[in-house]
Amino acid sequence: MGKRPRDPEDISPHGKRRRLTPSSSSKTSTEDVSSLTQLQDLLAFNQDAGPNAKQKFISFKRFLESIAYGDDAALQSSQRAILLQFLAPQPAANADRQHPDASDLFRAWSFATQSNNESLYSTITAVLALLLKTISHHVDFQAAGRHLCDLFLEKDHLKLIERGLSAEKSKDHVISPCLRLLTQLVSFDGGYAAKRVYSNKDVTLKRLDTFLNLRPDSKAADSRSRRKIPVRIVALPYLFANLRLQDHMIKTEILAHAKLSRSLFQDIKDDPPSVIQETLQVVLHDVLKDKKIPQRAKGRLFTDQILSSIATLYSYSNSTDSKDSEDDRRKQDIPDLAHAFLLSLCTTPQYGVLHKPGGQHSGMGNRTEEFTFPIGSSEKRQESVSSSKRLYKGAAVRNSTLSTFLQTLRPYASIPQRHLTLAVFQAAPELISDYFYKKKAFSFEPKLTATWLGFAAFLLSTIQLPFSQPTMSPGETALEPPATFDIIESILPLPLSSKVVSRCLNQNTTIIKFFVVKIVIAAFDRFAQTIRYFRSKAASTRVHLIRSWDIAASELIDEFSQRCPDMNHVITVFRSCSSRDSLLRESSARLLSLYYHHLPQVALEQKFDASVTLSAVFDEVSLNDPRSTKPSVETMVLTHLLNISRCSPDIRWWQKSEHDQLSLFGKGLRLCIRFDQDARSRPLESLLQSALGEAVSSGAAHKNCLLAFLLRSLVRSERTRLSEDANRVLSSSPSRQNYFLRAPISCERSPSQGRSWSCDPEEVYTAFDDSQWQPSDALFEFLDNCLIRLAKKTVKYDQDLLRLRAEVKQTAVPNEDNAVGDLLMVILEQWPFIQRSSAIPDVENISHWLTRFLLVVARNGGDFEFIDCVRSKIESLTMVQQCWGWLKKAPEGHFMEGIDFQTAEPPSEEAPTMGTLADQKTHGEPDAKEEWQPPTPPASEGEDHPALGKWKQLGIEEAIVEGAIGELVLCLCSQYADIRRQALMELRRCMKALQTSQYSEREAVYLLVGEVVETCKSSIGDTALAGFAGVMAAECCLVLSDPLHTLYAKVNRFLNKGPAWKIDKLPSSWVEQIVMGLPSVDDHYYKEIEWLLHVLTEGLRTPADMELYRRSHILERLLCLLASPSLPPRQQEMVIALLYRYSYAGGSTTLITRCSLLSWIPCYLASGHISEEQTTALGRLVERCKADCDWERVHEWSSGKLCNVPERKREVVDA
């Protein structure tokens, strides 16, 4: 007979079967407590460690649970009363018992510990924790609960807690109740015993980091083991209770435990979603947002490993086996919560992780010796930059934790991680170069994969980050520029080397080329922002450090030009774009324009023929719907090509290929007409004006008039609009009223004088209604042919014009260039040929346009007799009978019916340009009886600006002496941003021309122009240059051309003050130098005064100029000057003219309130040393101020004393 096998269910270490006793096999039922006596009997202590003792505490536990979680309110109230009586202190008669109110509980707890009954110990500990939790919700138990807390914190009872916390890690049924008990002790009554719990940290915080690492065993096969609550889940509320309720000093000490913080976040992705959410909220609100906790203590809590552990929540699993929908929703919210937590943690300096650097880059701030060098030592600067490149490999960044943490993120694969990385880059720009230097695991070699596209998008977003100026620590200043290597890494990071980018541009995949082009465009934008910052820093820093910033800017330009891809690759991309790649074509065109704008030296070295491309784009844009207001891709490409054309000197405007019917200029003119001269055509019109100005040798004013007349005669628009636009062109400058282009005609018929000027031009236009006419292709071909001939043979047609003028006037006249007359000479020459080579409808269309053109010229100041002569010659050469009807309308037909001619003397070329009283007098003997007329208001700005190209036609010396450079500077005061930008570019070209010229005063003029450019280059796109600054610069240019000028020395001293001007202080500075200071020559004081008054008058045109004078207190000083008895009459009249100009600019109210003009003038007149004309002028000035001021403001200022003036009067006295 064999041996009996062992029972597999028997887990006893002994081989014998355990004896079953009745006590161990029977189950004792629980008791319901309904009275105090029953509760006391239930919890009475006896030395019984068997199941009965445990069952009693289980009954007490159910009693407490019914109080805490029961539904019967009446039963809960009675049970709370029983429990309150049980826990109430005993009378003094029973004082012989040590703890009469809770002694039985603690004696049973101690007995379970001594008898080594872990089951009973854990049950009693759990019941005690539940007891504190139950009574903590009711105010009636506050005294009893505090007494219980005091008992728990006694030395003997702390040993009982220590016994449970010292158990083995596998005995979670012993450890967990102790942790729950400590949690309730810390949390009771708002932290009543929290400090005393922490004071016994050798017991209460013992092995807490170990408990936080006790997670459930995922390999456990027992379902019961998987259902048990892990010790970590129980320990976390205990730690959170300490972080919530302890003071900042204790929390600082808790955070100093590295193991504790590491255990808190290690493998946090394995926690339930509710625990993760509570962990992040507690750390954020109770630690990071606690301002009393030092930032250093907060920073020690988060190492790069802890940050990486939190970052694992980005991939927190959304799948779950739980059927709880609330749990599913929380799991889906965890990645967003983790992202918000990390974003706030890594970008807020108060949280201790982010350390604001001393500057925008690691090389900024209080620089070391290698970055300190004297003025002019460019070699040391180069050595400094080279050393910075060598030392960068070993350089340490201040945010080392973030630097290591960022390397663990995957911004190319996760959008939230990309946003986090970009936010850190924005908060700490020094990490940009450090990140890409260490990120060597990924190459930017072109591969059409999702990873490459993600990395390209990340690079693009990094470069597009807003440029932020460095924020210095207290007591630090960024005296010197940062290292060029650090700066260039934030513009073009290391993965974007020139070879790699060029290889990407040569790919056949459109998406790769598109991404790379966008990246380089963003790099150009950031490069421009950085250069502007360097220039502004050079203008505002100390004098001995200006050169270091300038050298740094030059080095950055050189480094950027080397890091950029070769422009030939971009040209290839642009030319290879098909019709389907419209976005790539627009982006590559924009990139080419950026090359020309920011790196002109690099761009001009390349052979990019923009003429052919621009001609093709003209054809494409002309096919679009002109009525569409939404810009198309072709329109945007055209805008970029126009920007290139402004910078490129090789545009062939007057050439056309065999396949083209029009030249480049003709196509541009036709496109302007197609756009109907709206906002889209303004850049093109400006460019056509520049091209026409370079080709035609006539005066700049006439070139602008020629283009304006052509556009107005070709466009299909209302008659009134044609007249108003052309009049605005002609009236924008007094110099345009010359022999051929006169002021608009307004005279009556005089039969006694024969043929005289008498017509109403509006009636002429009313009789000539051709709203249905539109220009034909043959007309554009004819006009284009005429303009090409005019551009190539300007001198020939100038001579023809001179002969025809002499024929009309019967006397020789001076050779005054006139582009309009030159064009008429070309038309007169080509008229017979166009009739023989074109169809009759085309010739009729051309004659119709010619009639319109002559009408526009005559309507806006043309010489009728000259126009009649041209019309007569054209009519005599006309062979097409259908054209006679149109030609007779210009001017003999409807146009000249009732109009007489008489040769009139041309206006004097010495017409006054300044609005002074002396300039208003007629030449010869003055007529004392003639009524005095006030100065005229300043002329409004026209659309044409001939000064943009006038200086190129003259030599540098001639351009300076004749004022062409000064007129170019005045374009910076234009109200149009495009004109200002073009003027700034022309001034830079002028500076280059000055460097290579042999003009004796080139250095002083170069310094003047350079200071103007430095002053306005950062704000020229937003605001115009102040009128005073522009006029002053123009006049200073004339002063520098004459070394014998009385202000030559003062102007040179002014230019040596600094590289840029402070506009707000400029007027007051010159007034102090001239009015309050000594003259350069003893007897030239009033000449300097006259020069200053001229500048002040011409510089006052807009309300902004008036406001500048008001802030500078100019009028107060000039009124004091006017009151001087020794001031000559001419200067007195100039001061009065300046007061009129001030009222024209909207300063009438200021003159009355701030300068007290109404009371000052009677006092001034009482002095008796003024002339009758000045008295009349001041009287008219008072009338104008009263009529134009804000009477509500004046009434309030005068407290009603000026109420006798007609209220709300707004009509200005007719000047």
Side-chain angles (χ1 to χ4, degrees):
M1 181 176 176
K3 186 175 180 181
R4 184 177 60 183
R6 181 178 178 181
D7 187 1
E9 296 182 358
D10 187 7
I11 61 175
S12 174
H14 306 288
K16 294 183 179 181
R17 186 170 61 89
R18 186 176 56 180
R19 177 182 299 178
L20 298 177
T21 59
S23 60
S24 61
S25 60
S26 61
K27 295 183 179 179
T28 307
S29 60
T30 59
E31 301 180 14
D32 295 333
V33 178
S34 59
S35 64
L36 176 62
T37 304
Q38 188 178 1
L39 180 60
Q40 291 175 347
D41 294 341
L42 180 65
L43 298 179
F45 171 73
N46 54 15
Q47 294 185 357
D48 181 12
N52 293 330
K54 182 178 179 180
Q55 201 66 30
K56 292 180 180 180
F57 284 98
I58 292 176
S59 300
F60 184 50
K61 178 183 177 183
R62 293 186 176 180
F63 173 74
L64 295 175
E65 288 176 348
S66 63
I67 298 176
Y69 310 113
D71 297 333
D72 192 349
L75 180 60
Q76 285 182 328
S77 178
S78 62
Q79 289 177 341
R80 284 199 302 268
I82 295 173
L83 183 60
L84 182 60
Q85 293 179 9
F86 176 76
L87 296 178
Q90 298 296 326
N94 297 330
D96 53 345
R97 293 188 61 182
Q98 186 175 1
H99 302 298
D101 51 352
S103 59
D104 291 337
L105 293 174
F106 286 98
R107 289 173 64 188
W109 193 23
S110 178
F111 174 75
T113 304
Q114 294 173 3
S115 60
N116 200 21
N117 191 339
E118 293 181 352
S119 176
L120 181 60
Y121 173 81
S122 62
T123 302
I124 297 176
T125 308
V127 170
L128 292 175
L130 181 59
L131 175 61
L132 281 177
K133 183 178 180 180
T134 302
I135 66 177
S136 64
H137 295 86
H138 305 283
V139 182
D140 299 340
F141 291 91
Q142 183 180 15
R146 289 191 172 190
H147 181 62
L148 277 177
C149 292
D150 295 338
L151 293 178
F152 279 117
L153 293 175
E154 290 182 357
K155 184 177 181 181
D156 295 339
H157 298 155
L158 285 174
K159 290 181 179 181
L160 300 179
I161 299 176
E162 183 181 8
R163 175 67 180 274
L165 296 177
S166 301
E168 299 178 2
K169 293 189 292 183
S170 60
K171 297 181 179 181
D172 52 351
H173 65 285
V174 178
I175 300 173
S176 296
C178 294
L179 292 174
R180 290 192 180 97
L181 178 60
L182 290 175
T183 303
Q184 297 302 324
L185 280 174
V186 175
S187 304
F188 186 81
D189 197 13
Y192 164 73
K195 287 186 178 181
R196 285 188 291 167
V197 171
Y198 180 78
S199 62
N200 297 281
K201 57 184 176 181
D202 294 340
V203 176
T204 55
L205 293 180
K206 186 178 182 180
R207 302 177 64 197
L208 181 58
D209 56 331
T210 304
F211 299 150
L212 291 174
N213 290 323
L214 295 181
R215 301 177 180 274
D217 188 4
S218 59
K219 298 181 181 180
D222 188 4
S223 60
R224 181 180 178 184
S225 300
R226 292 198 300 266
R227 288 195 303 267
K228 290 192 303 183
I229 300 178
V231 177
R232 173 180 171 84
I233 304 301
V234 181
L236 283 174
Y238 174 49
L239 177 60
F240 295 159
N242 281 278
L243 295 178
R244 286 192 184 103
L245 300 174
Q246 300 288 4
D247 59 14
H248 66 281
M249 297 182 64
I250 295 178
K251 288 195 285 187
T252 302
E253 294 181 8
I254 294 176
L255 298 177
H257 293 279
K259 293 183 179 180
L260 192 62
S261 58
R262 183 168 56 252
S263 301
L264 173 62
F265 292 102
Q266 190 174 10
D267 296 330
I268 191 175
K269 59 182 176 59
D270 298 331
D271 291 336
S274 59
V275 175
I276 297 176
Q277 182 177 1
E278 185 180 7
T279 302
L280 298 180
Q281 289 179 353
V282 169
V283 174
L284 179 62
H285 293 90
D286 298 312
V287 177
L288 297 179
K289 292 187 177 181
D290 191 347
K291 298 182 180 180
K292 295 183 180 180
I293 300 178
Q295 295 184 14
R296 184 174 299 179
K298 299 176 184 177
R300 284 198 300 263
L301 175 63
F302 297 97
T303 62
D304 57 317
Q305 297 178 354
I306 291 178
L307 293 175
S308 300
S309 298
I310 301 175
T312 58
L313 296 177
Y314 279 117
S315 58
Y316 194 75
S317 177
N318 291 329
S319 61
T320 177
D321 297 334
S322 175
K323 298 182 180 180
D324 189 359
S325 59
E326 181 68 20
D327 190 55
D328 293 344
R329 187 186 61 80
R330 288 183 176 180
K331 281 195 173 185
Q332 295 175 0
D333 294 341
I334 291 303
D336 296 336
L337 292 174
H339 176 67
F341 178 82
L342 287 174
L343 192 64
S344 177
L345 174 64
C346 298
T347 58
T348 307
Q350 291 77 13
Y351 293 169
V353 177
L354 174 65
H355 304 286
K356 276 295 183 180
Q360 183 175 1
H361 302 275
S362 58
M364 178 105 39
N366 293 332
R367 308 290 295 276
T368 58
E369 295 180 357
E370 59 187 7
F371 292 103
T372 304
F373 47 88
I375 303 176
S377 57
S378 58
E379 295 80 4
K380 292 189 177 181
R381 171 69 190 178
Q382 296 291 344
E383 295 175 1
S384 169
V385 175
S386 302
S387 63
S388 68
K389 293 182 180 180
R390 294 193 301 269
L391 294 176
Y392 182 78
K393 297 181 179 180
V397 294
R398 184 172 299 189
N399 293 281
S400 57
T401 301
L402 290 176
S403 174
T404 308
F405 165 62
L406 291 179
Q407 298 296 322
T408 63
L409 297 179
R410 301 173 70 242
Y412 48 85
S414 173
I415 294 179
Q417 294 186 42
R418 182 190 307 169
H419 292 167
L420 175 61
T421 307
L422 295 176
V424 175
F425 285 166
Q426 181 66 21
E430 62 162 353
L431 294 177
I432 298 178
S433 57
D434 177 78
Y435 176 83
F436 289 106
Y437 177 78
K438 295 178 180 178
K439 198 70 173 180
K440 297 179 180 179
F442 188 84
S443 175
F444 198 63
E445 292 293 334
K447 299 176 183 178
L448 189 57
T449 60
T451 303
W452 187 93
L453 293 176
F455 196 68
F458 170 62
L459 284 172
L460 178 61
S461 301
T462 301
I463 299 174
Q464 287 178 340
L465 288 175
F467 180 81
S468 57
Q469 296 185 2
T471 55
M472 310 307 301
S473 302
E476 294 184 352
T477 55
L479 296 179
E480 295 189 13
T484 306
F485 184 79
D486 296 337
I487 291 290
I488 198 65
E489 285 305 310
S490 64
I491 300 175
L492 279 174
L494 275 178
L496 298 173
S497 62
S498 179
K499 293 183 179 179
V500 173
V501 175
S502 300
R503 195 174 295 115
C504 294
L505 292 175
N506 292 324
Q507 293 293 309
N508 295 326
T509 308
T510 303
I511 188 65
I512 293 179
K513 294 188 288 187
F514 180 74
F515 259 111
V516 173
V517 169
K518 282 293 186 182
I519 288 173
V520 180
I521 289 175
F524 266 98
D525 294 339
R526 192 170 184 86
F527 166 74
Q529 295 175 357
T530 307
I531 290 297
R532 283 197 297 268
Y533 170 73
F534 273 45
R535 300 301 187 192
S536 63
K537 202 67 181 176
S540 60
T541 190
R542 300 177 182 176
V543 177
H544 67 281
L545 293 175
I546 293 177
R547 182 168 175 78
S548 64
W549 285 95
D550 292 337
I551 294 176
S554 302
E555 291 171 354
L556 181 60
I557 295 174
D558 296 339
E559 185 70 21
F560 182 76
S561 60
Q562 295 176 6
R563 297 284 290 269
C564 279
D566 193 350
M567 187 177 168
N568 288 328
H569 300 295
V570 185
I571 296 174
T572 304
V573 172
F574 176 73
R575 290 175 175 173
S576 63
C577 292
S578 61
S579 58
R580 296 177 299 175
D581 304 330
S582 57
L583 293 178
L584 178 59
R585 190 184 186 200
E586 186 273 332
S587 301
S588 56
R590 181 185 176 189
L591 180 56
L592 289 175
S593 67
L594 291 175
Y595 269 98
Y596 276 93
H597 184 70
H598 297 294
L599 299 177
Q601 296 178 352
V602 176
L604 294 177
E605 292 176 357
Q606 307 300 327
K607 296 181 179 180
F608 176 59
D609 187 4
S611 303
V612 178
T613 307
L614 188 59
S615 176
V617 173
F618 278 157
D619 296 336
E620 294 175 3
V621 175
S622 61
L623 299 177
N624 296 335
D625 186 5
R627 295 171 295 180
S628 177
T629 58
K630 184 178 180 180
S632 61
V633 178
E634 292 80 6
T635 306
M636 292 187 287
V637 173
L638 176 60
T639 303
H640 303 321
L641 291 177
L642 292 179
N643 294 333
I644 294 175
S645 302
R646 289 190 181 93
C647 305
S648 176
D650 302 328
I651 303 297
R652 300 189 298 272
W653 291 102
W654 310 105
Q655 296 182 10
K656 59 181 178 180
S657 63
E658 298 178 356
H659 306 287
D660 292 332
Q661 296 179 349
L662 300 177
S663 66
L664 189 60
F665 186 91
K667 291 183 178 181
L669 182 63
R670 183 176 61 180
L671 189 61
C672 284
I673 301 305
R674 183 174 178 80
F675 283 155
D676 200 16
Q677 293 184 278
D678 57 6
R680 295 173 294 175
S681 66
R682 289 178 183 175
L684 181 56
E685 288 183 28
S686 176
L687 191 59
L688 293 179
Q689 286 181 3
S690 178
L692 188 61
E694 294 177 357
V696 182
S697 61
S698 299
H702 307 303
K703 289 177 291 189
N704 286 338
C705 289
L706 174 59
L707 183 62
F709 289 163
L710 289 175
L711 293 175
R712 272 51 170 189
S713 63
L714 290 169
V715 71
R716 292 182 58 191
S717 57
E718 294 79 4
R719 299 180 301 272
T720 305
R721 175 183 171 184
L722 293 173
S723 173
E724 290 177 354
D725 289 346
N727 265 324
R728 184 168 59 252
V729 172
L730 293 173
S731 61
S732 60
S733 174
S735 63
R736 300 182 183 179
Q737 299 177 2
N738 62 2
Y739 172 71
F740 178 71
L741 301 176
R742 301 184 181 278
I745 308 162
S746 178
C747 300
E748 295 181 357
R749 184 180 180 87
S750 179
S752 61
Q753 296 179 358
R755 309 187 72 180
S756 61
W757 300 80
S758 60
C759 73
D760 186 356
E762 193 62 33
E763 295 179 0
V764 175
Y765 255 72
T766 304
F768 186 74
D769 188 2
D770 59 346
S771 59
Q772 301 300 323
W773 175 86
Q774 60 181 1
S776 63
D777 293 338
L779 169 60
F780 282 109
E781 294 180 18
F782 171 72
L783 185 57
D784 183 58
N785 182 36
C786 293
L787 290 173
I788 292 176
R789 291 179 177 274
L790 176 61
K792 293 181 178 181
K793 301 179 180 180
T794 307
V795 177
K796 173 186 178 300
Y797 295 112
D798 284 340
Q799 294 175 357
D800 294 343
L801 177 62
L802 179 62
R803 287 192 293 269
L804 184 59
R805 282 176 172 173
E807 178 183 345
V808 172
K809 300 301 179 181
Q810 300 298 326
T811 57
V813 295
N815 183 12
E816 297 182 3
D817 293 334
N818 193 310
V820 179
D822 290 345
L823 180 60
L824 291 176
M825 294 299 100
V826 182
I827 295 173
L828 187 61
E829 178 190 69
Q830 297 297 316
W831 184 247
F833 303 100
I834 193 64
Q835 295 181 80
R836 291 195 294 266
S837 62
S838 301
I840 293 178
D842 294 335
V843 178
E844 184 179 2
N845 187 274
I846 296 174
S847 63
H848 192 159
W849 166 80
L850 183 56
T851 304
R852 291 169 58 93
F853 182 71
L854 294 175
L855 286 173
V856 170
V857 174
R859 175 66 178 85
N860 294 278
D863 188 339
F864 283 1
E865 191 167 357
F866 180 82
I867 295 175
D868 183 38
C869 180
V870 173
R871 181 205 60 79
S872 300
K873 289 183 176 293
I874 294 177
E875 185 179 4
S876 63
L877 297 174
T878 302
M879 297 176 292
V880 180
Q881 187 176 4
Q882 289 85 344
C883 300
W884 292 347
W886 289 111
L887 292 175
K888 283 185 177 296
K889 295 181 180 180
E892 274 298 316
H894 296 285
F895 181 70
M896 296 307 297
E897 184 175 341
I899 301 178
D900 293 332
F901 292 94
Q902 182 182 14
T903 302
E905 294 296 330
S908 174
E909 295 182 358
E910 300 178 356
T913 58
M914 292 178 52
T916 61
L917 297 179
D919 293 332
Q920 303 300 323
K921 298 180 180 180
T922 58
H923 296 286
E925 293 296 329
D927 188 2
K929 297 181 180 179
E930 184 179 356
E931 184 180 358
W932 179 87
Q933 296 296 331
T936 58
S940 59
E941 181 183 1
E943 294 182 356
D944 303 317
H945 297 77
L948 294 175
K950 181 178 179 180
W951 71 277
K952 295 180 181 179
Q953 303 174 6
L954 309 173
I956 286 295
E957 182 176 359
E958 188 178 359
I960 295 173
V961 174
E962 294 187 4
I965 302 298
E967 294 177 3
L968 181 60
V969 172
L970 289 177
C971 291
L972 297 174
C973 306
S974 173
Q975 60 180 339
Y976 305 111
D978 293 339
I979 298 300
R980 299 197 299 267
R981 294 192 185 97
Q982 190 173 354
L984 185 62
M985 185 180 301
E986 294 295 333
L987 284 175
R988 288 172 175 167
R989 293 176 180 173
C990 180
M991 293 175 65
K992 293 182 180 179
L994 283 168
Q995 289 178 330
T996 59
S997 68
Q998 301 299 324
Y999 182 47
S1000 59
E1001 300 296 331
R1002 63 182 181 278
E1003 294 182 356
V1005 179
Y1006 177 85
L1007 184 60
L1008 171 64
V1009 177
E1011 291 183 6
V1012 173
V1013 172
E1014 289 293 327
T1015 301
C1016 63
K1017 68 177 182 180
S1018 60
S1019 60
I1020 198 65
D1022 301 328
T1023 58
L1025 183 67
F1028 176 81
V1031 175
M1032 188 272 297
E1035 294 297 328
C1036 287
C1037 187
L1038 296 177
V1039 171
L1040 294 176
S1041 65
D1042 182 13
L1044 299 178
H1045 197 282
T1046 181
L1047 285 166
Y1048 185 82
K1050 288 187 177 180
V1051 170
N1052 279 278
R1053 284 197 299 268
F1054 168 73
L1055 295 178
N1056 290 328
K1057 288 185 177 180
W1061 301 343
K1062 296 180 180 179
I1063 302 299
D1064 292 341
K1065 299 181 180 180
L1066 199 60
S1068 59
S1069 174
W1070 278 99
V1071 171
E1072 290 178 0
Q1073 290 185 51
I1074 295 179
V1075 179
M1076 307 298 180
L1078 296 176
S1080 301
V1081 182
D1082 292 341
D1083 57 345
H1084 286 182
Y1085 175 73
Y1086 291 110
K1087 290 185 178 181
E1088 295 184 4
I1089 292 290
E1090 182 178 352
W1091 182 87
L1092 176 63
L1093 291 175
H1094 168 67
V1095 174
L1096 289 172
T1097 303
E1098 293 301 316
L1100 180 57
R1101 292 179 175 271
T1102 64
D1105 299 329
M1106 181 271 295
E1107 182 65 19
L1108 175 62
Y1109 285 14
R1110 185 193 64 80
R1111 294 195 306 267
S1112 303
H1113 306 284
I1114 298 299
L1115 292 182
E1116 292 86 338
R1117 301 179 182 181
L1118 293 183
L1119 289 177
C1120 295
L1121 178 66
L1122 181 60
S1124 174
S1126 60
L1127 188 67
R1130 178 171 177 79
Q1131 282 72 18
Q1132 292 178 358
E1133 295 169 356
M1134 294 180 71
V1135 174
I1136 296 176
L1138 178 59
L1139 295 177
Y1140 269 92
R1141 184 66 70 93
Y1142 200 85
S1143 66
Y1144 291 147
S1148 298
T1149 305
T1150 305
L1151 288 173
I1152 295 176
T1153 58
R1154 188 179 184 91
C1155 301
S1156 299
L1157 189 68
L1158 300 183
S1159 59
W1160 182 86
I1161 288 181
C1163 298
Y1164 176 65
L1165 295 177
S1167 61
H1169 63 275
I1170 60 176
S1171 63
E1172 182 179 352
E1173 281 190 353
Q1174 294 178 6
T1175 304
T1176 304
L1178 292 175
R1180 296 289 295 274
L1181 177 62
V1182 171
E1183 294 177 4
R1184 174 173 179 80
C1185 291
K1186 288 181 179 180
D1188 195 37
C1189 68
D1190 183 1
W1191 275 108
E1192 293 181 357
R1193 172 74 180 95
V1194 173
H1195 181 78
E1196 180 183 358
W1197 170 78
S1198 63
S1199 301
K1201 295 181 180 179
L1202 294 178
C1203 59
N1204 55 336
V1205 184
E1207 189 176 0
R1208 305 295 299 172
K1209 184 176 180 182
R1210 292 294 179 217
E1211 296 182 357
V1212 181
V1213 177
D1214 186 7

